[in-house]
Amino acid sequence: MVLSDAEVSLVTVLYAFTMVAAIVGNSFLIYIVWKKPEVRSLASSMFVNMAIADLLVALFMMPLSIVSAHTKSKWKVPGLPGDIICRSYILTSDATLIASILCLVFMAIDRYCAVVCPLSVHSVWFRKAKFVTPLIWVMSIALMAIMPVIYKFDNGYCEIDPDVLGQNPTFRGVYVYIFLITYIIPLAIICPLYAKAARMLWFNQAPGNHLIEEQQRRQLVTRRKVVRMLVIIVVVFAICWLPAQAIHLFWAATAFRQDLPAIVMYLGFWVAHANSAINPWLYIALSTKIRLAFNRMVTFRKSHPALRKSTQGTSHSTKASTFQEARV
């Protein structure tokens, strides 16, 4: 699968632009949540976690895609060092990608708990960022731990070793596993959770409670905005990763015996990697608190008094702090 000179230039420009957008956007998002206490919540913590994963995609996977386009996928590091780098890269890149996707899953679970069972004692411990963040990375590494085992470094190429299970079972098993773990199973978990949460927020009301107090109304509006924002982000994820997953299925069906045009493969994975650049800017645009903090930061304005007052109020009681953690 070799690119023409014009295609190499196109891939280089697309990835260079995407790298800049991803690095700037994710760095902004991490900085905002780190410096602005008023925007912190479990959802924002999950977005920081996802921003770190997306930043690693921009710093490692995207540059290697550019190098691969210029070197025809051949690695320049020979021997044992090349083998170690090959396996390490496969584990790091795959674990980073699955970490970003798991953040979407845990955010869906968080929204479901916040809307459907907000007062449940059993959901409080689960919705703490200090617990969820390391859990996501441990799960990511565990789910992708098999990948370095089935890859090898041979004649300058980092590729799947067909001798592990035999050519057909190995190729098909690897790409079906990737398709299920990184796409179908996450969406199968996320979609029903958001559907249930949306039904509760838009269609369910307590019997006889037609006059909702102002505070309850604001709470409902806020939760609707958060769910709407996260649904948009999941839809963008599903669209961006669809071409790459179609390529995975094609490779699984043909056991890698048929080649796709090189430019189709590169563009398919570029769209998937571009999701790492889109995520932070979507969150900044769709989250009111994050957007206000971003506008203040880029215009060098001080924190809004109302937001400072709101932040101080959240520390008055443990119950209030727990409720605030469920909001964005």
Side-chain angles (χ1 to χ4, degrees), residues 205 209-217 220:
Q205 289 187 359
N209 187 17
H210 299 293
L211 299 175
I212 303 176
E213 296 180 2
E214 182 64 19
Q215 184 179 1
Q216 293 174 316
R217 188 189 67 81
L220 182 63

Side-chain angles (χ1 to χ4, degrees), residues 122-198:
H122 300 290
S123 67
V124 172
W125 64 272
F126 177 78
R127 298 175 63 203
K128 292 182 179 179
K130 290 182 179 179
F131 168 78
V132 175
T133 298
L135 177 63
I136 285 174
W137 287 100
V138 170
M139 288 180 63
S140 302
I141 294 172
L143 287 170
M144 293 293 115
I146 188 63
M147 302 306 288
V149 177
I150 59 179
Y151 268 78
K152 67 175 181 178
F153 185 71
D154 186 33
N155 294 324
Y157 293 95
C158 185
E159 57 190 10
I160 294 175
D161 185 358
D163 295 330
V164 175
L165 297 173
Q167 183 168 352
N168 289 353
T170 300
F171 283 120
R172 286 174 179 159
V174 168
Y175 292 117
V176 168
Y177 178 76
I178 292 173
F179 177 67
L180 292 174
I181 293 296
T182 64
Y183 200 69
I184 291 298
I185 293 177
L187 289 178
I189 296 171
I190 291 170
C191 292
L193 292 178
Y194 279 141
K196 178 67 173 178

Side-chain angles (χ1 to χ4, degrees), residues 150-292:
I150 59 179
Y151 268 78
K152 67 175 181 178
F153 185 71
D154 186 33
N155 294 324
Y157 293 95
C158 185
E159 57 190 10
I160 294 175
D161 185 358
D163 295 330
V164 175
L165 297 173
Q167 183 168 352
N168 289 353
T170 300
F171 283 120
R172 286 174 179 159
V174 168
Y175 292 117
V176 168
Y177 178 76
I178 292 173
F179 177 67
L180 292 174
I181 293 296
T182 64
Y183 200 69
I184 291 298
I185 293 177
L187 289 178
I189 296 171
I190 291 170
C191 292
L193 292 178
Y194 279 141
K196 178 67 173 178
R199 181 182 175 186
M200 292 286 292
L201 288 174
W202 272 273
F203 301 108
N204 276 12
Q205 289 187 359
N209 187 17
H210 299 293
L211 299 175
I212 303 176
E213 296 180 2
E214 182 64 19
Q215 184 179 1
Q216 293 174 316
R217 188 189 67 81
R218 288 198 302 266
Q219 181 186 125
L220 182 63
V221 170
T222 299
R223 288 181 173 178
R224 284 178 175 177
K225 286 182 178 179
V226 173
V227 170
R228 187 184 296 116
M229 172 189 69
L230 295 177
V231 168
I232 291 172
I233 289 170
V234 170
V235 169
V236 171
F237 155 76
I239 294 172
C240 286
W241 274 94
L242 183 59
Q245 298 298 346
I247 293 172
H248 287 152
L249 287 181
F250 175 81
W251 286 341
T254 62
F256 219 72
R257 290 178 176 175
Q258 295 182 28
D259 286 340
L260 286 167
I263 190 62
V264 171
M265 185 193 72
Y266 275 95
L267 290 180
F269 284 101
W270 168 74
V271 173
H273 293 161
N275 187 235
S276 296
I278 295 171
N279 282 334
W281 295 111
L282 262 183
Y283 188 38
I284 291 171
L286 296 174
S287 172
T288 302
K289 288 185 178 182
I290 295 291
R291 186 172 65 253
L292 289 174

Side-chain angles (χ1 to χ4, degrees), residues 14-135:
L14 290 176
Y15 265 109
F17 175 79
T18 307
M19 281 174 57
V20 173
I23 292 170
V24 173
N26 287 296
S27 298
F28 266 134
L29 182 55
I30 294 169
Y31 180 80
I32 289 170
V33 178
W34 175 49
K35 294 293 288 186
K36 307 293 181 181
E38 65 267 23
V39 305
R40 292 175 190 166
S41 65
L42 179 60
S44 62
S45 298
M46 288 300 95
F47 268 104
V48 167
N49 210 18
M50 190 159 62
I52 293 171
D54 289 339
L55 201 55
L56 291 174
V57 171
L59 293 174
F60 294 101
M61 296 191 69
M62 293 185 193
L64 193 62
S65 295
I66 296 175
V67 172
S68 176
H70 285 267
T71 62
K72 301 177 183 179
S73 300
K74 190 166 185 177
W75 292 42
K76 299 299 183 181
V77 183
L80 181 60
D83 186 67
I84 294 173
I85 294 173
C86 166
R87 297 175 190 272
S88 301
Y89 167 76
I90 292 299
L91 176 61
T92 303
S93 60
D94 288 346
T96 298
L97 288 173
I98 195 67
S100 181
I101 295 166
L102 284 176
C103 287
L104 296 176
V105 174
F106 277 90
M107 280 190 283
I109 297 172
D110 168 61
R111 285 300 94 194
Y112 177 84
C113 293
V115 172
V116 178
C117 48
L119 301 179
S120 173
V121 176
H122 300 290
S123 67
V124 172
W125 64 272
F126 177 78
R127 298 175 63 203
K128 292 182 179 179
K130 290 182 179 179
F131 168 78
V132 175
T133 298
L135 177 63

